[in-house]
Amino acid sequence: MAVDQLSTYFCLYQGIVHGGALHALYMDYKDKADIILVYILEAHSTEGWKMGTTFSDAKQPITIEERIDRARDLLYIIPDTVTSDPYDTSKVRVVVDDMDNKFDETFWCWPDRSLAIKDGQLAFTGRNIVQQMKTPDKLLTTDLREWMEAQNE
């Protein structure tokens, strides 16, 4: 199972969501892997890591309902790519971390990171934000795609 986790990180939206990298990854591997987006903490909330009004436009959700609403935004941005139905394997499934942030704390995902779980074990961990900033021309999905290609050789 491949897990590609997103928060509302503008560059991520531009390169992965709007640029189509997530959709392309899904189309190439939908028969070989479950690709799931796990919505965690807001990367650039108005109370947190501020980068001006372009990035910091939302408050950090304080209830699970608010977190679900923020994750639901992806359904409107890329409706042909994602679904909120956990049983619909025809699209990338969007799920949310709980309010104790167990997924994020387990996998150190904030603000964004790609992971792959194979045979019930963590098999791949993508670059963290500091590493990503050192190579901004390389998308979050690039490392995951390279790992997945190596598995199919």
Side-chain angles (χ1 to χ4, degrees):
M1 173 190 305
V3 179
D4 188 35
Q5 175 283 116
L6 293 179
S7 61
T8 55
Y9 191 44
F10 182 74
C11 295
L12 211 55
Y13 273 176
Q14 293 300 334
I16 294 176
V17 176
H18 292 302
L22 176 63
H23 183 75
L25 183 74
Y26 171 74
M27 293 305 292
D28 291 347
Y29 290 98
K30 66 183 180 179
D31 296 327
K32 299 174 185 166
D34 293 319
I35 298 178
I36 301 169
L37 275 126
V38 180
Y39 181 86
I40 59 167
L41 296 162
E42 281 293 320
H44 302 286
S45 70
T46 54
E47 312 87 351
W49 186 13
K50 296 180 182 181
M51 295 183 71
T53 56
T54 303
F55 290 96
S56 303
D57 66 346
K59 290 186 173 188
Q60 193 66 256
I62 57 172
T63 67
I64 194 68
E65 291 80 14
E66 290 174 344
R67 187 169 279 182
I68 291 168
D69 285 343
R70 290 297 293 172
R72 196 171 279 134
D73 289 346
L74 288 169
L75 302 177
Y76 300 108
I77 295 169
I78 49 171
D80 296 335
T81 302
V82 300
T83 180
S84 62
D85 181 347
Y87 303 105
D88 182 358
T89 58
S90 69
K91 296 181 181 181
V92 175
R93 290 167 282 166
V94 178
V95 298
V96 297
D97 199 357
D98 66 16
M99 295 311 292
D100 291 329
N101 304 310
K102 288 180 186 158
F103 184 86
D104 179 45
E105 288 183 11
T106 300
F107 297 107
W108 294 65
C109 298
W110 187 88
D112 52 45
R113 181 172 264 182
S114 293
L115 306 170
I117 299 168
K118 184 175 181 180
D119 300 325
Q121 300 291 319
L122 181 63
F124 169 81
T125 303
R127 296 170 294 140
N128 65 31
I129 189 64
V130 173
Q131 295 162 332
Q132 290 176 46
M133 291 172 77
K134 290 178 181 177
T135 55
D137 58 320
K138 199 171 180 184
L139 296 175
L140 180 66
T141 53
T142 303
D143 294 335
L144 183 58
R145 176 178 288 282
E146 290 170 357
W147 181 84
M148 291 174 84
E149 287 172 0
Q151 302 310 298
N152 293 311
E153 291 180 348

